PDB file of all heavy atoms in Angstrom:
ATOM      1  N   LEU A 311     -22.255 -19.277  11.063  1.00 35.00           N
ATOM      2  CA  LEU A 311     -22.585 -17.834  11.126  1.00 35.00           C
ATOM      3  C   LEU A 311     -23.782 -17.654  12.032  1.00 35.00           C
ATOM      4  O   LEU A 311     -24.522 -18.605  12.279  1.00 35.00           O
ATOM      5  CB  LEU A 311     -22.863 -17.298   9.691  1.00 35.00           C
ATOM      6  CG  LEU A 311     -21.703 -17.478   8.740  1.00 35.00           C
ATOM      7  CD1 LEU A 311     -22.173 -17.048   7.350  1.00 35.00           C
ATOM      8  CD2 LEU A 311     -20.498 -16.668   9.112  1.00 35.00           C
ATOM      9  N   PRO A 312     -24.028 -16.447  12.464  1.00 33.00           N
ATOM     10  CA  PRO A 312     -25.183 -16.250  13.381  1.00 33.00           C
ATOM     11  C   PRO A 312     -26.460 -16.851  12.810  1.00 33.00           C
ATOM     12  O   PRO A 312     -26.824 -16.618  11.673  1.00 33.00           O
ATOM     13  CB  PRO A 312     -25.279 -14.741  13.507  1.00 33.00           C
ATOM     14  CG  PRO A 312     -23.856 -14.288  13.273  1.00 33.00           C
ATOM     15  CD  PRO A 312     -23.310 -15.197  12.250  1.00 33.00           C
ATOM     16  N   ASP A 313     -27.144 -17.667  13.608  1.00 34.00           N
ATOM     17  CA  ASP A 313     -28.282 -18.407  13.096  1.00 34.00           C
ATOM     18  C   ASP A 313     -29.538 -17.566  13.099  1.00 34.00           C
ATOM     19  O   ASP A 313     -30.119 -17.206  14.129  1.00 34.00           O
ATOM     20  CB  ASP A 313     -28.518 -19.691  13.921  1.00 34.00           C
ATOM     21  CG  ASP A 313     -28.494 -19.468  15.401  1.00 34.00           C
ATOM     22  OD1 ASP A 313     -27.524 -18.783  15.861  1.00 34.00           O
ATOM     23  OD2 ASP A 313     -29.363 -19.904  16.093  1.00 34.00           O
ATOM     24  N   ALA A 314     -29.963 -17.206  11.910  1.00 29.00           N
ATOM     25  CA  ALA A 314     -31.258 -16.524  11.735  1.00 29.00           C
ATOM     26  C   ALA A 314     -31.820 -16.957  10.428  1.00 29.00           C
ATOM     27  O   ALA A 314     -31.097 -17.148   9.465  1.00 29.00           O
ATOM     28  CB  ALA A 314     -31.036 -15.014  11.766  1.00 29.00           C
ATOM     29  N   ALA A 315     -33.091 -17.190  10.349  1.00 26.00           N
ATOM     30  CA  ALA A 315     -33.694 -17.647   9.118  1.00 26.00           C
ATOM     31  C   ALA A 315     -33.716 -16.577   8.107  1.00 26.00           C
ATOM     32  O   ALA A 315     -33.937 -15.417   8.388  1.00 26.00           O
ATOM     33  CB  ALA A 315     -35.132 -18.142   9.405  1.00 26.00           C
ATOM     34  N   ALA A 316     -33.441 -16.936   6.856  1.00 30.00           N
ATOM     35  CA  ALA A 316     -33.436 -15.956   5.774  1.00 30.00           C
ATOM     36  C   ALA A 316     -34.796 -15.334   5.667  1.00 30.00           C
ATOM     37  O   ALA A 316     -35.816 -15.980   5.587  1.00 30.00           O
ATOM     38  CB  ALA A 316     -33.052 -16.647   4.462  1.00 30.00           C
ATOM     39  N   GLY A 317     -34.817 -13.963   5.664  1.00 29.00           N
ATOM     40  CA  GLY A 317     -36.044 -13.255   5.493  1.00 29.00           C
ATOM     41  C   GLY A 317     -36.857 -13.128   6.778  1.00 29.00           C
ATOM     42  O   GLY A 317     -37.900 -12.556   6.782  1.00 29.00           O
ATOM     43  N   VAL A 318     -36.379 -13.709   7.870  1.00 26.00           N
ATOM     44  CA  VAL A 318     -37.109 -13.613   9.138  1.00 26.00           C
ATOM     45  C   VAL A 318     -36.263 -12.788  10.107  1.00 26.00           C
ATOM     46  O   VAL A 318     -35.093 -13.036  10.312  1.00 26.00           O
ATOM     47  CB  VAL A 318     -37.348 -15.015   9.729  1.00 26.00           C
ATOM     48  CG1 VAL A 318     -38.086 -14.910  11.080  1.00 26.00           C
ATOM     49  CG2 VAL A 318     -38.097 -15.892   8.743  1.00 26.00           C
ATOM     50  N   ALA A 319     -36.862 -11.783  10.693  1.00 30.00           N
ATOM     51  CA  ALA A 319     -36.094 -10.904  11.542  1.00 30.00           C
ATOM     52  C   ALA A 319     -35.520 -11.657  12.715  1.00 30.00           C
ATOM     53  O   ALA A 319     -36.162 -12.467  13.359  1.00 30.00           O
ATOM     54  CB  ALA A 319     -37.031  -9.784  12.104  1.00 30.00           C
ATOM     55  N   ALA A 320     -34.227 -11.393  12.985  1.00 33.00           N
ATOM     56  CA  ALA A 320     -33.600 -11.974  14.159  1.00 33.00           C
ATOM     57  C   ALA A 320     -34.286 -11.369  15.398  1.00 33.00           C
ATOM     58  O   ALA A 320     -34.823 -10.275  15.357  1.00 33.00           O
ATOM     59  CB  ALA A 320     -32.111 -11.639  14.192  1.00 33.00           C
ATOM     60  N   ARG A 321     -34.165 -12.117  16.510  1.00 32.00           N
ATOM     61  CA  ARG A 321     -34.831 -11.626  17.718  1.00 32.00           C
ATOM     62  C   ARG A 321     -34.286 -10.277  18.088  1.00 32.00           C
ATOM     63  O   ARG A 321     -33.120  -9.989  17.909  1.00 32.00           O
ATOM     64  CB  ARG A 321     -34.646 -12.632  18.853  1.00 32.00           C
ATOM     65  CG  ARG A 321     -33.197 -12.722  19.301  1.00 32.00           C
ATOM     66  CD  ARG A 321     -33.029 -13.955  20.183  1.00 32.00           C
ATOM     67  NE  ARG A 321     -31.693 -14.043  20.720  1.00 32.00           N
ATOM     68  CZ  ARG A 321     -30.589 -14.360  20.036  1.00 32.00           C
ATOM     69  NH1 ARG A 321     -30.717 -14.596  18.760  1.00 32.00           N
ATOM     70  NH2 ARG A 321     -29.425 -14.400  20.635  1.00 32.00           N
ATOM     71  N   GLU A 322     -35.147  -9.438  18.588  1.00 33.00           N
ATOM     72  CA  GLU A 322     -34.727  -8.091  19.001  1.00 33.00           C
ATOM     73  C   GLU A 322     -34.275  -8.159  20.448  1.00 33.00           C
ATOM     74  O   GLU A 322     -35.071  -8.343  21.349  1.00 33.00           O
ATOM     75  CB  GLU A 322     -35.912  -7.122  18.837  1.00 33.00           C
ATOM     76  CG  GLU A 322     -35.510  -5.672  19.151  1.00 33.00           C
ATOM     77  CD  GLU A 322     -36.671  -4.767  18.853  1.00 33.00           C
ATOM     78  OE1 GLU A 322     -37.087  -4.676  17.690  1.00 33.00           O
ATOM     79  OE2 GLU A 322     -37.192  -4.126  19.785  1.00 33.00           O
ATOM     80  N   PRO A 323     -32.989  -8.017  20.688  1.00 34.00           N
ATOM     81  CA  PRO A 323     -32.497  -8.139  22.051  1.00 34.00           C
ATOM     82  C   PRO A 323     -32.971  -7.001  22.906  1.00 34.00           C
ATOM     83  O   PRO A 323     -33.182  -5.879  22.452  1.00 34.00           O
ATOM     84  CB  PRO A 323     -30.952  -8.148  21.880  1.00 34.00           C
ATOM     85  CG  PRO A 323     -30.749  -7.432  20.584  1.00 34.00           C
ATOM     86  CD  PRO A 323     -31.918  -7.739  19.718  1.00 34.00           C
ATOM     87  N   ASP A 324     -33.085  -7.289  24.167  1.00 36.00           N
ATOM     88  CA  ASP A 324     -33.478  -6.239  25.132  1.00 36.00           C
ATOM     89  C   ASP A 324     -32.337  -5.312  25.399  1.00 36.00           C
ATOM     90  O   ASP A 324     -31.171  -5.708  25.451  1.00 36.00           O
ATOM     91  CB  ASP A 324     -33.940  -6.887  26.438  1.00 36.00           C
ATOM     92  CG  ASP A 324     -35.182  -7.724  26.244  1.00 36.00           C
ATOM     93  OD1 ASP A 324     -35.978  -7.389  25.383  1.00 36.00           O
ATOM     94  OD2 ASP A 324     -35.289  -8.724  26.956  1.00 36.00           O
ATOM     95  N   VAL A 325     -32.697  -4.037  25.554  1.00 34.00           N
ATOM     96  CA  VAL A 325     -31.682  -3.044  25.942  1.00 34.00           C
ATOM     97  C   VAL A 325     -31.499  -3.166  27.480  1.00 34.00           C
ATOM     98  O   VAL A 325     -32.460  -3.078  28.198  1.00 34.00           O
ATOM     99  CB  VAL A 325     -32.106  -1.638  25.582  1.00 34.00           C
ATOM    100  CG1 VAL A 325     -31.034  -0.642  26.012  1.00 34.00           C
ATOM    101  CG2 VAL A 325     -32.330  -1.535  24.103  1.00 34.00           C
ATOM    102  N   PRO A 326     -30.289  -3.393  27.954  1.00 34.00           N
ATOM    103  CA  PRO A 326     -30.142  -3.518  29.387  1.00 34.00           C
ATOM    104  C   PRO A 326     -30.467  -2.242  30.125  1.00 34.00           C
ATOM    105  O   PRO A 326     -30.238  -1.147  29.643  1.00 34.00           O
ATOM    106  CB  PRO A 326     -28.632  -3.852  29.539  1.00 34.00           C
ATOM    107  CG  PRO A 326     -28.005  -3.322  28.283  1.00 34.00           C
ATOM    108  CD  PRO A 326     -29.068  -3.486  27.227  1.00 34.00           C
ATOM    109  N   ASP A 327     -31.061  -2.397  31.275  1.00 35.00           N
ATOM    110  CA  ASP A 327     -31.400  -1.242  32.086  1.00 35.00           C
ATOM    111  C   ASP A 327     -30.117  -0.529  32.564  1.00 35.00           C
ATOM    112  O   ASP A 327     -29.147  -1.194  32.897  1.00 35.00           O
ATOM    113  CB  ASP A 327     -32.199  -1.692  33.341  1.00 35.00           C
ATOM    114  CG  ASP A 327     -32.560  -0.506  34.220  1.00 35.00           C
ATOM    115  OD1 ASP A 327     -33.513   0.172  33.901  1.00 35.00           O
ATOM    116  OD2 ASP A 327     -31.848  -0.352  35.227  1.00 35.00           O
ATOM    117  N   ALA A 328     -30.150   0.796  32.523  1.00 32.00           N
ATOM    118  CA  ALA A 328     -28.928   1.549  32.835  1.00 32.00           C
ATOM    119  C   ALA A 328     -28.447   1.223  34.248  1.00 32.00           C
ATOM    120  O   ALA A 328     -27.251   1.029  34.493  1.00 32.00           O
ATOM    121  CB  ALA A 328     -29.179   3.016  32.687  1.00 32.00           C
ATOM    122  N   ASP A 329     -29.375   1.190  35.216  1.00 32.00           N
ATOM    123  CA  ASP A 329     -28.933   0.920  36.593  1.00 32.00           C
ATOM    124  C   ASP A 329     -28.370  -0.439  36.737  1.00 32.00           C
ATOM    125  O   ASP A 329     -27.364  -0.669  37.412  1.00 32.00           O
ATOM    126  CB  ASP A 329     -30.145   1.117  37.547  1.00 32.00           C
ATOM    127  CG  ASP A 329     -30.649   2.539  37.557  1.00 32.00           C
ATOM    128  OD1 ASP A 329     -29.814   3.446  37.318  1.00 32.00           O
ATOM    129  OD2 ASP A 329     -31.803   2.758  37.871  1.00 32.00           O
ATOM    130  N   ALA A 330     -29.012  -1.406  36.090  1.00 33.00           N
ATOM    131  CA  ALA A 330     -28.511  -2.769  36.149  1.00 33.00           C
ATOM    132  C   ALA A 330     -27.112  -2.869  35.521  1.00 33.00           C
ATOM    133  O   ALA A 330     -26.245  -3.596  36.028  1.00 33.00           O
ATOM    134  CB  ALA A 330     -29.463  -3.725  35.438  1.00 33.00           C
ATOM    135  N   SER A 331     -26.914  -2.111  34.445  1.00 34.00           N
ATOM    136  CA  SER A 331     -25.600  -2.109  33.830  1.00 34.00           C
ATOM    137  C   SER A 331     -24.578  -1.553  34.758  1.00 34.00           C
ATOM    138  O   SER A 331     -23.465  -2.078  34.862  1.00 34.00           O
ATOM    139  CB  SER A 331     -25.638  -1.287  32.511  1.00 34.00           C
ATOM    140  OG  SER A 331     -26.518  -1.833  31.594  1.00 34.00           O
ATOM    141  N   ASP A 332     -24.910  -0.450  35.444  1.00 32.00           N
ATOM    142  CA  ASP A 332     -23.966   0.132  36.348  1.00 32.00           C
ATOM    143  C   ASP A 332     -23.610  -0.835  37.463  1.00 32.00           C
ATOM    144  O   ASP A 332     -22.439  -0.967  37.862  1.00 32.00           O
ATOM    145  CB  ASP A 332     -24.511   1.413  36.942  1.00 32.00           C
ATOM    146  CG  ASP A 332     -24.570   2.518  35.937  1.00 32.00           C
ATOM    147  OD1 ASP A 332     -23.869   2.465  34.916  1.00 32.00           O
ATOM    148  OD2 ASP A 332     -25.330   3.494  36.168  1.00 32.00           O
ATOM    149  N   ALA A 333     -24.633  -1.507  37.970  1.00 32.00           N
ATOM    150  CA  ALA A 333     -24.401  -2.455  39.057  1.00 32.00           C
ATOM    151  C   ALA A 333     -23.525  -3.574  38.624  1.00 32.00           C
ATOM    152  O   ALA A 333     -22.598  -4.012  39.356  1.00 32.00           O
ATOM    153  CB  ALA A 333     -25.742  -2.963  39.604  1.00 32.00           C
ATOM    154  N   ALA A 334     -23.800  -4.074  37.413  1.00 32.00           N
ATOM    155  CA  ALA A 334     -23.007  -5.189  36.891  1.00 32.00           C
ATOM    156  C   ALA A 334     -21.590  -4.800  36.740  1.00 32.00           C
ATOM    157  O   ALA A 334     -20.648  -5.528  37.046  1.00 32.00           O
ATOM    158  CB  ALA A 334     -23.591  -5.724  35.592  1.00 32.00           C
ATOM    159  N   ALA A 335     -21.396  -3.583  36.165  1.00 32.00           N
ATOM    160  CA  ALA A 335     -20.016  -3.154  35.930  1.00 32.00           C
ATOM    161  C   ALA A 335     -19.285  -2.981  37.281  1.00 32.00           C
ATOM    162  O   ALA A 335     -18.128  -3.357  37.347  1.00 32.00           O
ATOM    163  CB  ALA A 335     -20.049  -1.819  35.174  1.00 32.00           C
ATOM    164  N   GLY A 336     -19.969  -2.448  38.220  1.00 33.00           N
ATOM    165  CA  GLY A 336     -19.296  -2.231  39.505  1.00 33.00           C
ATOM    166  C   GLY A 336     -18.996  -3.527  40.210  1.00 33.00           C
ATOM    167  O   GLY A 336     -18.108  -3.582  41.098  1.00 33.00           O
TER     168      GLY A 336
END
Side-chain angles (χ1 to χ4, degrees):
L311 301 174
D313 47 311
V318 179
R321 66 194 186 287
E322 184 174 298
D324 296 328
V325 180
D327 179 81
D329 295 333
S331 298
D332 289 339

